[in-house]
Structures are given as C-alpha cells and as structure tokens.
Amino acid sequence: MRKKIGTITFHWAANYGAVLQAYALQQFLLKNGYDTEIIDYRPGRVLAVQKWGSLRNNGRALREKRRRIQEFRTKELVLSKKRCYFCRGLKKVFKDYSVLITGSDQVWNESFTLGAEGKPTLSYFLQGAPDQVKRLSYAASFGTEHVTAPYKAVTEKELRKFQAISVRENTGKEIIESYGLKAAVVCDPTQLLEKEDYDKLLSPRQYEVQAVFPYILHGSQPEAEAAALYVQRLFGQAERVDAVDVGLYEWLYRIRHAEMLVTNSFHGVMLALIFNTPFLAVTIDGSGMNDRLHTLLRRVGLEDRLLAGYDEGKIGRLCKETIDWEPVNQEMREFRLESQNFLLEHIGNIYED
C-alpha cells in the first residue's frame, strides 16, 4: 500500500475557522513532502438538521455563506475521492491510508460523539480503522473543560489505540490524563503556517474593509456585541454587528487589514496574532469553550486582552494601547516550531515502523 496520510476533521462545517484549520494542516503536510488528503466524511444526520434549521429560519445569509465557503473548499482542499455520510462507511475508507490524523477543532465534542447519528458516533476517534493503520491526533479539542462518565466509557477503547495524542487546550491535556494516557498541547493548525503563507493565499485579492471588524459567533452574545458597538463608536465608525456571510478569502482579508478586530472567535484571535492585527477578545457567554482563548493568550502574554464582560473602561484602555508584537511573534515562532516538531517526529516514527 502506498504510504498516504488521511486527515479527518470538520472541513464540512459552515465555519471559517473549521475550514481554514483543515486547509492549514493539509498545506503543512504537503509542504513537508507527504502524500495526504482530507477524508471527505460529512455526517449526514448533522448536516440534514442544520439545513432544515436554516430553511425554517429563512437563513438566506447562512446559505450564501455556505456557498462561498464551498468555493474555497473546491479550490483549496484536496479531498478523498470516496465520500461517506455515516461512521460505518469510514471502515472501508480508512483502509486507503497508512497514517490517520484526527483533528483539529472540536472533533472530540461530547455532543457529537454521543449522538451525531442518534447514538455514539466515534468517527473522529477513528473507530473501524485496521490495526495496521497508525493513529495520531493533532490539536484535537473536546470543546469543554470536563467530560462525563458515559463519554469516557465509549471513547476510552479507541483512544488507547492511538500512537500519539495531542490536544489544543490545557484542559484537553487534563482530560486525556484522566484516562491514564499522555497528551501534548500543540498549536492550532492555522498557526503551523505563517503570515506569508496567508498573504500568498490572498494575493492579488482586494476587498473593501472598515477600520473595526466585528466578528461575533454563537448567536445572541450581548457582551461581545456591546463591546463591538462601543469600539466602532470609538473609531467613528457606523455601529453595526451583522452575521458575516462573506467568503473565506474576504473573511481572512478583513482580519488582515483591520485596525481593530473585536471577536469571541478562537480562530479570529489566532489570525489576528498571525497578522499582528490589534484585537479585543471576548469570552463566550455560558460556554465551556473559553479555555482555548485563555490557553492561547496566556501563552503569548496577551491574556489581558480577553474580556470576561462588558467594561467600557478596559475596552477604552485596550483600544489605546499599542501591542508590542516582537515578544508575541517570538512566542508564536517557538510554539509553532514545538508543534511542527511533534507532528513531523511522530509521523516520521510511524512511517519508519
């Protein structure tokens, strides 16, 4: 069998960060000479529920966003020729690879894992992969700080088959260790690439941009929306926080050229760090997903730019402060190198077996 790496992740999601991280991991592997493709697994039941929800809610903007993201997928991602919509179908697909990498993003999300097909669905734990196929996770995320006993009961058997495990957050490492296993904390795949890689992707594209780019996810987020509106006032910009329905190229371009990004998006913050774009990060109301922002910003010494609530005094101060990007970039380089070495070392070890 030809040595080939298959990655499996949320490349199908109508989410800029999910698609971009899939692209970044693939590009890193290709740049390092590996034969690789993204396994075109699209969980049918999940997508059907999402599609029905957008139709019921007259989600024209969401449908347009999906169309534009699909344009990026078609042009930029190398997908497997085989596509499957159910976990059971992956058993045949997995045989095509010598190495499987699951992640990044919230591939180990408890809600998906316990009920994506109306029952436990271990697609992203590589259930059904032949014993001779080597397993690795890269920057996988649980999307929470704790998992339940039922979750651990159905996932432990598959996790113990992995040759190496890496996660994206410190709490993810603690969860893996609660299984009695080891895990490394590595950078998100988007950080495996550098600013120049994204500039090449954007060139020669041009889009109209405003000084403040408000990118707010997860529905009604009053704290984040209030912060975005206040920053727009400070910059003398019309106050408006819309659902973003632009294409992925334009989303990247807006972050790259903004004078200030206001966001509760992990990948929004990650791109701001890569591009050296000033930003304010806001935690997600009532969510267990905030540890990823804390982990990232603590690592680069910018945790003060994370808002836990609406605070005009702090917002005003942060908008006036100039970020010293030199130590941030140095820390980003070191973390990038550590993560690249982890990935290349373990893939190399697996290939040599």
Side-chain angles (χ1 to χ4, degrees):
M1 180 178 67
R2 185 172 94 231
K3 288 186 175 180
K4 184 164 61 172
I5 299 173
T7 61
I8 184 168
T9 186
F10 287 170
H11 75 287
W12 48 267
N15 179 284
Y16 303 117
V19 177
L20 191 66
Q21 61 83 24
Y23 165 83
L25 178 56
Q26 182 166 77
Q27 285 299 306
F28 176 74
L29 294 173
L30 290 170
K31 285 172 67 174
N32 282 275
Y34 290 103
D35 184 2
T36 184
E37 58 192 21
I38 297 167
I39 297 171
D40 199 7
Y41 165 63
R42 307 187 184 200
R45 189 171 184 268
V46 173
L47 292 174
V49 169
Q50 291 179 350
K51 184 175 182 180
W52 174 242
S54 68
L55 289 172
R56 286 185 62 191
N57 296 313
N58 193 27
R60 183 178 300 174
L62 178 57
R63 292 194 294 275
E64 178 62 16
K65 176 181 178 181
R66 284 178 176 155
R67 185 188 69 78
R68 293 183 176 185
I69 288 178
Q70 182 56 39
E71 291 176 355
F72 182 92
R73 286 195 200 95
T74 301
K75 185 171 182 179
E76 306 294 349
L77 303 186
V78 180
L79 303 181
S80 62
K81 293 180 180 178
K82 297 178 182 177
R83 178 184 296 179
C84 60
Y85 296 94
F86 299 96
C87 184
R88 65 178 181 270
L90 286 168
K91 188 172 183 179
K92 292 182 179 179
V93 179
F94 287 157
K95 293 178 181 178
D96 294 340
Y97 306 96
S98 53
V99 178
L100 292 170
I101 301 177
T102 187
S104 175
D105 223 337
Q106 295 179 42
V107 290
W108 289 344
N109 178 286
E110 182 160 335
S111 176
F112 183 98
T113 301
L114 293 184
E117 294 182 10
K119 59 182 179 181
T121 307
L122 301 179
S123 317
Y124 295 102
F125 289 85
L126 308 178
Q127 186 181 55
D131 291 341
Q132 68 271 21
V133 176
K134 306 303 181 181
R135 309 180 188 201
L136 174 68
S137 75
Y138 183 78
S141 176
F142 294 91
T144 185
E145 297 177 13
H146 307 282
V147 294
T148 63
Y151 178 91
K152 291 184 73 172
V154 300
T155 58
E156 183 170 4
K157 179 181 176 181
E158 299 302 328
L159 272 175
R160 292 191 177 279
K161 297 177 182 178
F162 278 68
Q163 275 64 47
I165 297 173
S166 66
V167 292
R168 194 174 63 186
E169 294 96 18
N170 293 327
T171 50
K173 185 175 188 292
E174 293 168 4
I175 290 171
I176 292 296
E177 289 173 346
S178 74
Y179 287 81
L181 299 170
K182 294 181 179 180
V185 177
V186 295
C187 71
D188 185 80
T190 52
Q191 194 180 340
L192 292 173
L193 302 183
E194 301 183 52
K195 178 167 61 175
E196 292 75 18
D197 296 303
Y198 292 110
D199 283 342
K200 290 176 184 176
L201 185 65
L202 292 176
S203 179
R205 302 171 188 275
Q206 286 191 329
Y207 302 95
E208 184 178 341
V209 296
Q210 291 185 306
V212 180
F213 180 29
Y215 178 55
I216 312 300
L217 293 175
H218 302 288
S220 177
Q221 293 288 309
E223 303 284 347
E225 291 170 8
L229 293 172
Y230 182 61
V231 173
Q232 287 174 326
R233 288 201 297 273
L234 292 178
F235 277 75
Q237 185 174 314
E239 298 172 38
R240 191 172 179 180
V241 180
D242 292 331
V244 178
D245 60 356
V246 299
L248 204 152
Y249 298 106
E250 185 173 351
W251 176 76
L252 269 175
Y253 191 91
R254 289 189 184 191
I255 295 175
R256 174 73 173 87
H257 295 281
E259 294 179 35
M260 180 67 67
L261 171 71
V262 184
T263 189
N264 60 0
S265 159
F266 170 82
H267 284 109
V269 173
M270 176 59 72
L271 267 296
L273 294 175
I274 292 170
F275 289 136
N276 288 182
T277 298
F279 69 94
L280 293 178
V282 188
T283 55
I284 301 167
D285 295 343
S287 172
M289 298 187 291
N290 292 314
D291 184 59
R292 54 187 178 168
L293 283 171
H294 285 284
T295 299
L296 173 62
L297 294 177
R298 188 181 304 121
R299 175 92 193 207
V300 298
L302 292 178
E303 199 171 10
D304 185 50
R305 301 193 74 84
L306 181 59
L307 301 170
Y310 181 68
D311 182 341
E312 287 189 4
K314 183 174 182 180
I315 294 170
R317 172 176 62 81
L318 291 174
C319 284
K320 293 177 182 177
E321 286 184 0
T322 300
I323 298 174
D324 182 358
W325 288 109
E326 185 174 348
V328 174
N329 292 337
Q330 179 61 32
E331 189 60 45
M332 292 278 283
R333 281 191 293 270
E334 291 177 4
F335 195 17
R336 178 184 296 115
L337 184 59
E338 289 173 20
S339 302
Q340 290 174 341
N341 287 341
F342 171 90
L343 190 53
L344 295 175
E345 176 186 349
H346 284 286
I347 292 174
N349 290 342
I350 288 169
Y351 262 56
E352 292 167 5
D353 288 348

